Amino acid sequence: RGLIYQAQDEFQQAFTAFDRSRDLFEAKVDDRLGLAKALSGCGLALAATGDRAEAIRMWRAALALFNELGAPESSEIQQLLAG
């Protein structure tokens, strides 16, 4: 749902959807890749609403997980952090 809201430029709703996913992956499901993707999505939504500091915090957490997993998404997060 977060991706749909994001595509519609409804960033607050996108953040809410990604944040719910993050909570689910963090508390109830042992899916670190899903958690990393949810954190990344939260970061994108926060950056779009102007909260870059919080977006960076989310992206750093996502990057740590992507790196642990050897996931290719880590390069995308590194670009977001650099820009």
Side-chain angles (χ1 to χ4, degrees):
R1 293 176 96 175
L3 293 173
I4 294 168
Y5 287 129
Q6 194 169 338
Q8 296 171 340
D9 292 338
E10 296 177 16
F11 300 112
Q12 187 57 48
Q13 289 177 310
F15 172 76
T16 301
F18 285 125
D19 198 43
R20 284 185 190 147
S21 295
R22 181 185 59 85
D23 286 342
L24 175 68
F25 287 122
E26 216 166 38
K28 299 177 184 165
V29 179
D30 187 21
D31 180 354
R32 292 181 2 194
L33 182 60
L35 175 57
K37 288 180 179 183
L39 288 164
S40 174
C42 283
L44 290 170
L46 287 163
T49 62
D51 192 350
R52 181 133 177 98
E54 189 64 16
I56 287 171
R57 189 178 75 77
M58 294 285 182
W59 289 332
R60 285 182 178 154
L63 181 60
L65 288 169
F66 285 139
N67 284 338
E68 281 180 31
L69 298 168
E73 291 90 343
S74 62
S75 62
E76 178 185 331
I77 300 300
Q78 287 171 337
Q79 290 176 353
L80 291 168
L81 288 167

